[in-house]
Amino acid sequence: MEAQDKPPIITVDGPGGVGKGTVSRILAARLGWHLLDSGALYRLVGLSALKRGIALDDEAAVAGLAIRLDAEFTGNSGDNTVIMLDHVDVSDEIRTEGVGNAASRVAVLPAVRQALLERQRRFRLPPGLVADGRDMGTVVFPDARLKVFLRASREERAARRYKQLKDKGIDVSLDALLREIEERDLRDSSRRVAPMRPAEGAVIIDTTHMGIDEVVDGILRAWKERVA
Ligand code: DC
């Protein structure tokens, strides 16, 4: 049960390509709450390691980066969040497949997850927080009042990602995307620390055949029932 004196939290967990990011952003805006895009933190750590030539499996060195991470999020729940790393705008760079892969690799390291734990918890500010990630409901905010886990078929998630990239003018093959999704799912859900899985009591929503608004409305309904 959520501590009554702390700001309320809705956690939105699930694999990449389920619409988590968009759903969380709209949800935060509709509620007037803060937003934590925890994947962006892992992406920043991955990018920082790549930029410095640090091996992605060097746990001590990467955890050191995570502890000292100089990151800034501005315009938090809007459409145009700017993400700065070492005072440089990396908003677009962190969304590439290469950085996503690096993020998934550094995310298996327990010391890195530990280093990011407190930083994530500091996003819990009044009037409330929507927390988007893989382990928001299970590890970071186990006392959240509403926990949501989004699913969608791999084919649908690859198709969504394909469209996103195409719209940005980036050329990729659907097959390669599908393979990467499979690889990342396996790594995210089989890691020893904080594997991706639905939290106990989570509301599970399969978004394969749902539009974004439908998903958001479903979560808002569940929230109203929870606080009624
Ligand atoms: O949601 P995303 O694609 O931006 O996340 C990138 C990677 O970061 C993902 O492959 C796994 C990792 N991650 C994590 O381990 N825990 C989180 N709470 C969020 C992301």
Side-chain angles (χ1 to χ4, degrees), residues 2 12 17-18 32 38 43 47 50 56 61 70 86 91 122 124 126 129 138 147 153 171 190 209 211 218 228:
E2 189 172 62
V12 183
V18 283
S38 61
R43 286 172 182 266
L47 176 61
L50 290 176
L56 297 173
D70 182 357
D86 299 322
S91 315
R122 284 202 296 272
R124 184 178 206 165
L129 176 69
T138 50
K147 300 178 182 182
S153 73
D171 236 350
S190 63
H209 304 292

Side-chain angles (χ1 to χ4, degrees), residues 23-39:
V23 164
S24 299
R25 194 156 26 76
I26 297 174
L27 204 54
R30 296 262 294 263
L31 290 162
W33 288 8
H34 297 275
L35 175 69
L36 165 60
D37 172 3
S38 61

Side-chain angles (χ1 to χ4, degrees), residues 20 38 42-43 104 107 113 134-136 184 188 191:
K20 248 179 334 145
S38 61
Y42 287 95
R43 286 172 182 266
S104 171
R113 304 201 71 84
R134 303 285 191 291
D135 62 342
M136 297 296 99
R184 206 181 302 175
D188 291 347
R191 66 177 174 229

Side-chain angles (χ1 to χ4, degrees), residues 154 157-158 176-186:
R154 289 203 178 125
R157 288 159 51 208
L177 276 180
L178 194 57
R179 270 198 310 277
E180 269 176 39
I181 283 179
E182 282 170 4
E183 221 174 89
R184 206 181 302 175
D185 277 359
L186 183 67

Side-chain angles (χ1 to χ4, degrees), residues 29 45 87 91 132 163:
V45 175
H87 311 283
S91 315
D132 157 358
K163 186 174 175 310

